[in-house]
Amino acid sequence: MTPHDVESPAAADAHQVSRRHLLAGTAAGAALALLPGEIAHADAPGTFGGHPFTLGIASGDPDATSVVLWTRLAVRPLEIGGGLAPRKFPVHWQVAHDEQFAQIVREGTTFALPEQNHSVHVTVDGLEPDRWYFYRFRAGSELSGVGRTRTLPAPGAPTASFAVAQVSCQNWVTGWFTPYRDLAREDLDVAIHLGDYIYEGAITAVAPRQGTIDLPAEIRQPANTLERYRLRYALYKTDPDLQAAHAAVPFISVWDDHEVVNDYRGAVDLGTAQLARRAAGYRAWWENMPTRMPAPTGPDMRIYQRFVVGDLLQLDMLDGRQYRIADNHPTVSRLGDEQEAWLVDGIRGHDTRWNVVALGQQLGGVPTNSPTRNRIHRAYQDRGIQPVFLVGDMHWTIVQDLLLEVPNADSPVIGSQFMVTSITSTGDGPGNPATKAGWLKNPWIKYVDGYRGYISLRYTHAGVDAAQHNVDFITRPDAPGWVAQRFHIEAGRPGVQLV
Ligand SMILES: [Fe+2]
C-alpha cells in the first residue's frame, strides 16, 4: 500500500497528506522529520540531557472512533520535576496502520506542560471502528517506543468476540510486576485496571528490588502531597512489565483506595482538612493514566463511565470510593445516589449480549448483607440480564455465582463475579489454605486462588471463557507464569462453571 492509499480521516487536510509523503520517505526507527513550521518551537537534539520517555507510553478509554494516548516526559523520573526545566515542551504524536509508520493515519503536536508534570494526553479522533493501530511520540530528537492500541466496534455493530484482562493491586514494595509479562503477550482487546495502581504508604524496605534502584529520600515518604504522589507513580511506572502491558493494549481504569489513602470512604474518613490530600491523589492519578476525563481542579473527579462494544458488551466502570459515606446502610447508596441511579438507568437501557460491571471493591463482603448490592442485583433480575461483575481489592481470586441476595444461599443465581487477585500485593502465593477453605464453604463460591496474577475473559455471543493466570513468585524477577484454572459462563444460564 502506498501513502496514496491510506484512508483519509474526515478531518484530513492537505497539510496532513503532504506530511504523509514526507514521513513515508523516512527510514523505520529514524527520528521523525520536522516540518518547516515545527522547527521554530522544536527542541534541538540533547535538550533533555537524556531519554525523556523513561515512564513509557500508554493508551486508554477507547470508543468506536477515538482513543487516548498518554506519555509523561521525565529524564530522571525519581526526582521532583523529572529532571526537566519547568517549561512546556512540544511533543509530536503519530498513529499508523503499521509498526514501521509507513502508513500514518493521524498525527499532531501537543505540549507537555510543567503544571501537569509534563504529562501528555491526546484524544485521537477520526479513527475507524474495530481496528488496531500503532502509535508513538517524539520529543526533541528523542523517539518513544511503539505502542499498540485499538478502537471499539461501533455500538450495535455485529461483534463476534472481545477479550479483556482484569488486573488490580500492584504494590511496588512487595515485588516485581511479572504477571503483566504474560498479559502483554496475550491476545487481548483491553486491560481493565481496578485500582491500587500505586500504594501510598512509606517505603521502609524494598527487599525484592534491592540493588536494582536507588531511591531518593523524598520518594520513601508517605505519598500525601501532589509531588509525592507524582513521584510514587514515576517509581511504579519504571517497572518494565507494566510498561510492556501499557504498550500492548489500551487500559480502562478506575481507582480504589490506595491512590489516596488506605480504606478511605468519600470524605468521611478524610475529614474536610484532608480533602486536599484527595485532590492531590486524584490529580496525580489523572496525570499518570491514559484517561479521557478532564483534569480535576479539586477533590472531586468523575471517573465512572460506560463503554459499549458493538452488540456484544456493555462495560460499566464504577467509582466505589469517592461517593461512599456508608458501607451497608439500608437507604444510603454505597455508590452515592447519583452513580447508582446512573448504573440502574444503564441496566434499563442495555441492549448488548453481556453487561459487565467493574469496580475496585465488591459491593459487599462475602457473608455481608449489602442493601446497595441487593437493589442493583434486583435491577438486573427485573430486566432479565445476567451481569458479570469484575472486582479486585482483596488480593485473592474468588470466582462465584452472584446470588440475588447475598448471603442467602436459597436465593436465585442472577450472574457471576470474578474477584481478581493482585499483581503483587500480599507477596508470593499460594496464600493461607485455611482462609481459602473458609471461603469455599460458601456454596456459591466456586474457586479461590491466592497466587499473584490476573484474569482474562473472552466474551462471545455463546458465552464467556475466562482464565486465571498465575506466577510462581513476585519477590524475585522473571517468574514463569501458568494458567491455573479455566472458567465458562454459558449465555442465558447464570452462574460460572469450572472447566
Ligand atoms: Fe490492594
Side-chain angles (χ1 to χ4, degrees), residues 20 67 69 93-98 101 103-108 122 124 127 132-136 149:
R20 277 191 212 109
V67 68
L69 307 182
W93 55 270
Q94 289 183 322
V95 173
H97 283 313
D98 62 314
F101 289 82
Q103 302 167 45
I104 307 289
V105 177
R106 303 283 287 166
E107 63 185 308
V122 181
V124 181
L127 302 176
W132 283 94
Y133 294 93
F134 295 91
Y135 66 95
R136 65 181 175 184
T149 192

Side-chain angles (χ1 to χ4, degrees), residues 168-170 195-196 199 256-258 393-395 422 425:
S168 181
C169 296
Q170 50 197 46
D196 290 359
Y199 281 75
D256 197 20
D257 52 336
H258 285 285
D393 170 62
M394 286 178 63
H395 311 163
S422 60
S425 309

Side-chain angles (χ1 to χ4, degrees), residues 153-161 308-314 350-354 460-461:
T159 302
S161 165
V308 178
V309 180
D311 64 352
L312 185 62
L313 191 72
Q314 173 174 309
H350 162 277
D351 59 359
T352 53
R353 186 69 197 82
W354 296 99
T460 68
H461 284 270

Side-chain angles (χ1 to χ4, degrees), residues 34 36-44 87-91 109-111 140:
L34 291 171
E38 226 181 308
I39 290 170
H41 57 74
D43 293 281
R87 65 174 181 86
K88 66 180 187 180
F89 292 92
V91 178
T109 300
T110 187
F111 286 96

Side-chain angles (χ1 to χ4, degrees), residues 332-363:
V332 176
S333 175
R334 187 183 170 100
L335 294 172
D337 291 344
E338 203 175 313
Q339 184 177 209
E340 184 178 323
W342 171 87
L343 177 66
V344 170
D345 277 354
I347 295 168
R348 295 199 181 108
H350 162 277
D351 59 359
T352 53
R353 186 69 197 82
W354 296 99
N355 190 294
V356 179
V357 185
L359 72 164
Q361 191 177 43
Q362 61 183 339
L363 288 170

Side-chain angles (χ1 to χ4, degrees), residues 120-388:
V120 170
H121 298 76
V122 181
T123 302
V124 181
D125 57 15
L127 302 176
E128 292 171 48
D130 198 12
R131 183 158 191 174
W132 283 94
Y133 294 93
F134 295 91
Y135 66 95
R136 65 181 175 184
F137 297 92
R138 176 178 55 73
S141 58
E142 297 283 336
L143 274 180
S144 74
V146 174
R148 286 171 78 241
T149 192
R150 64 161 301 143
T151 52
L152 302 182
T159 302
S161 165
F162 196 80
V164 309
Q166 175 190 359
V167 297
S168 181
C169 296
Q170 50 197 46
N171 193 333
W172 186 93
V173 171
T174 316
W176 297 81
F177 299 162
T178 317
Y180 278 121
R181 192 169 301 181
D182 283 348
L183 187 155
R185 292 173 184 150
E186 206 184 339
D187 181 19
L188 297 165
D189 294 299
V190 301
I192 295 174
H193 201 296
L194 299 175
D196 290 359
Y197 193 97
I198 59 159
Y199 281 75
E200 83 290 358
I203 298 177
T204 53
V206 294
R209 310 224 192 196
Q210 199 69 50
T212 63
I213 199 161
D214 216 10
L215 284 190
E218 184 70 16
I219 223 166
R220 293 175 176 270
Q221 303 300 315
N224 51 15
T225 65
L226 179 55
E227 288 299 355
R228 287 180 179 175
Y229 282 118
R230 285 168 164 173
L231 286 173
R232 200 56 67 95
Y233 280 96
L235 175 65
Y236 278 53
K237 281 175 174 286
T238 58
D239 185 277
D241 292 316
L242 176 61
Q243 289 198 9
H246 274 300
V249 68
F251 272 52
I252 293 174
S253 309
V254 286
W255 54 47
D256 197 20
D257 52 336
H258 285 285
E259 284 84 352
V260 178
V261 65
N262 184 35
D263 278 345
Y264 87 98
R265 298 170 302 168
V268 179
D269 302 315
L270 292 172
T272 310
Q274 286 289 303
L275 282 176
R277 182 173 187 178
R278 196 173 93 174
Y282 287 5
R283 172 75 184 191
W285 183 89
W286 178 85
E287 288 177 350
N288 285 282
M289 303 305 284
T291 174
R292 191 183 286 266
M293 297 298 175
T297 55
D300 306 304
M301 179 181 175
R302 176 173 163 167
I303 62 166
Y304 64 87
Q305 57 177 334
R306 177 164 295 132
F307 296 83
V308 178
V309 180
D311 64 352
L312 185 62
L313 191 72
Q314 173 174 309
L315 169 61
D316 292 331
M317 301 292 299
L318 301 182
D319 179 347
R321 290 286 170 187
Q322 185 173 186
Y323 313 108
R324 197 194 305 182
I325 54 175
D327 284 353
N328 298 307
H329 190 278
T331 56
V332 176
S333 175
R334 187 183 170 100
L335 294 172
D337 291 344
E338 203 175 313
Q339 184 177 209
E340 184 178 323
W342 171 87
L343 177 66
V344 170
D345 277 354
I347 295 168
R348 295 199 181 108
H350 162 277
D351 59 359
T352 53
R353 186 69 197 82
W354 296 99
N355 190 294
V356 179
V357 185
L359 72 164
Q361 191 177 43
Q362 61 183 339
L363 288 170
V366 171
T368 310
N369 177 45
S370 160
T372 299
R373 178 166 57 191
N374 291 345
R375 281 195 302 275
I376 290 169
H377 285 192
R378 179 71 64 184
Y380 284 109
Q381 206 205 26
D382 288 350
R383 183 72 168 76
I385 295 167
Q386 50 176 118
V388 180

